Amino acid sequence: MRVDLGTLKAVGRQQQSSAANPCLGSLSISSETPLSNHGSKINRFSSKAAVLHAVRLDGNALRDADIEFRKDREVVLASALQAGAALELAAGTLRADRDLVMQVVTEDGRALEHAAAELQADVEVVRAAVTQHGLALRHAAPALRAQPETVLAAVRQHGVALQFAADGAQGPQGVRGVVLVAVAQAGSALQYASAEQRADWNVVAAAAAQNIGAVRWAVGTVAETMQLCAAVVLAGLAYVLPLYATVAMSLCLAYIGRELWRRAA
């Protein structure tokens, strides 16, 4: 097989250049520096400029950089702002940096999971997180998950966040105002309310208005009535009888309205 001497010399010069300058070597296409799983083209020899460029495109690229960059505030902040989960890669001191974590959870509330324990108990940090993503409530300290105001902020964004609230009649799951907001946002949140709230006509009616299937989680006499009404309405819809379904729904709503009025009197 014939070998081109000029080609061999060019390859040799490229390898020498890569060895002399690791940063340039990391930017060249070679079998020794393949693309990472995240699509970044950095490794433990990459410069800070190269790492910053990579994490701004994909926060998880921080995994491929030298471990020292996990202690670099600028790099970690850029990484976590691009992908909140990248906060997990940061050094402990930065995961406890209140200003940094506040900026990150404001953009992606789920990053609260990777914040230091003391910040998961910080009411302002947690409120910022759950306001952005209600389900971040699951990572809040128990004391805050028992605080109606914090839970209210979470369920306004995602009603099902009610499942992470402290349970019991004295906890947020038993606070009528919190539950009403939750079921109005997501009727299925009714399943996470206290038994007392699931037997409350107004709460169940609010849940059914958002999702008629939520009546399955009602309890007591309200459950029997609501479930019967839902079954009648759904039966009409199932058999493609819109007029029947409309009449049935009107009768059910009239009955429910009368009950609500009678109980409020």
Side-chain angles (χ1 to χ4, degrees):
M1 180 177 67
R2 185 177 179 180
V3 178
D4 187 335
L5 183 60
T7 301
L8 288 177
K9 288 181 178 180
V11 172
R13 283 195 299 271
Q14 183 181 9
Q15 291 177 343
Q16 289 175 359
S17 176
S18 297
N21 192 332
C23 294
L24 291 177
S26 67
L27 294 175
S28 64
I29 303 297
S30 74
S31 60
E32 296 179 358
T33 56
L35 288 171
S36 72
N37 292 332
H38 315 293
S40 67
K41 198 69 174 61
I42 59 174
N43 56 35
R44 63 191 183 89
F45 299 112
S46 298
S47 67
K48 180 175 178 177
V51 172
L52 274 172
H53 177 73
V55 299
R56 283 169 179 158
L57 295 175
D58 180 358
N60 290 307
L62 184 58
R63 294 180 186 276
D64 303 318
D66 188 279
I67 195 169
E68 288 301 310
F69 286 117
R70 300 187 184 197
K71 303 175 186 177
D72 187 303
R73 193 178 192 279
E74 183 181 9
V75 171
V76 168
L77 181 58
S79 176
L81 286 177
Q82 200 288 320
L87 185 63
E88 179 185 14
L89 305 172
T93 53
L94 292 180
R95 286 188 285 111
D97 184 320
R98 189 177 188 277
D99 290 338
L100 183 149
V101 171
M102 180 68 87
Q103 290 186 64
V104 174
V105 299
T106 298
E107 293 296 321
D108 186 349
R110 294 168 297 182
L112 183 66
E113 176 181 4
H114 307 298
E118 59 266 31
L119 294 182
Q120 292 177 339
D122 184 307
V123 64
E124 292 184 359
V125 172
V126 171
R127 293 268 181 91
V130 300
T131 297
Q132 198 285 322
H133 199 294
L135 297 181
L137 183 65
R138 72 181 302 173
H139 305 299
L144 292 180
R145 288 190 282 112
Q147 188 181 78
E149 296 79 8
T150 299
V151 176
L152 185 59
V155 299
R156 278 183 178 142
Q157 200 284 322
H158 202 308
V160 177
L162 187 65
Q163 66 183 296
F164 302 119
D167 58 5
Q170 302 306 312
Q173 291 182 339
V175 176
R176 193 166 184 265
V178 172
V179 176
L180 278 170
V181 171
V183 299
Q185 204 283 328
S188 59
L190 182 64
Q191 63 187 299
Y192 304 114
S194 66
E196 179 183 358
Q197 298 305 322
R198 287 186 286 122
D200 185 303
W201 275 81
N202 289 299
V203 171
V204 176
Q210 201 284 324
N211 178 359
I212 195 169
V215 298
R216 77 185 74 172
W217 294 297
V219 297
T221 56
V222 66
E224 298 173 4
T225 302
M226 290 286 195
Q227 288 169 10
L228 176 60
C229 286
V232 171
V233 173
L234 290 175
L237 294 175
Y239 287 101
V240 197
L241 297 175
L243 178 60
Y244 169 77
T246 301
V247 171
M249 184 179 292
S250 298
L251 291 174
C252 287
L253 290 176
Y255 176 79
I256 292 170
R258 188 188 70 178
E259 283 295 309
L260 291 175
W261 179 82
R262 185 175 65 81
R263 290 166 187 270

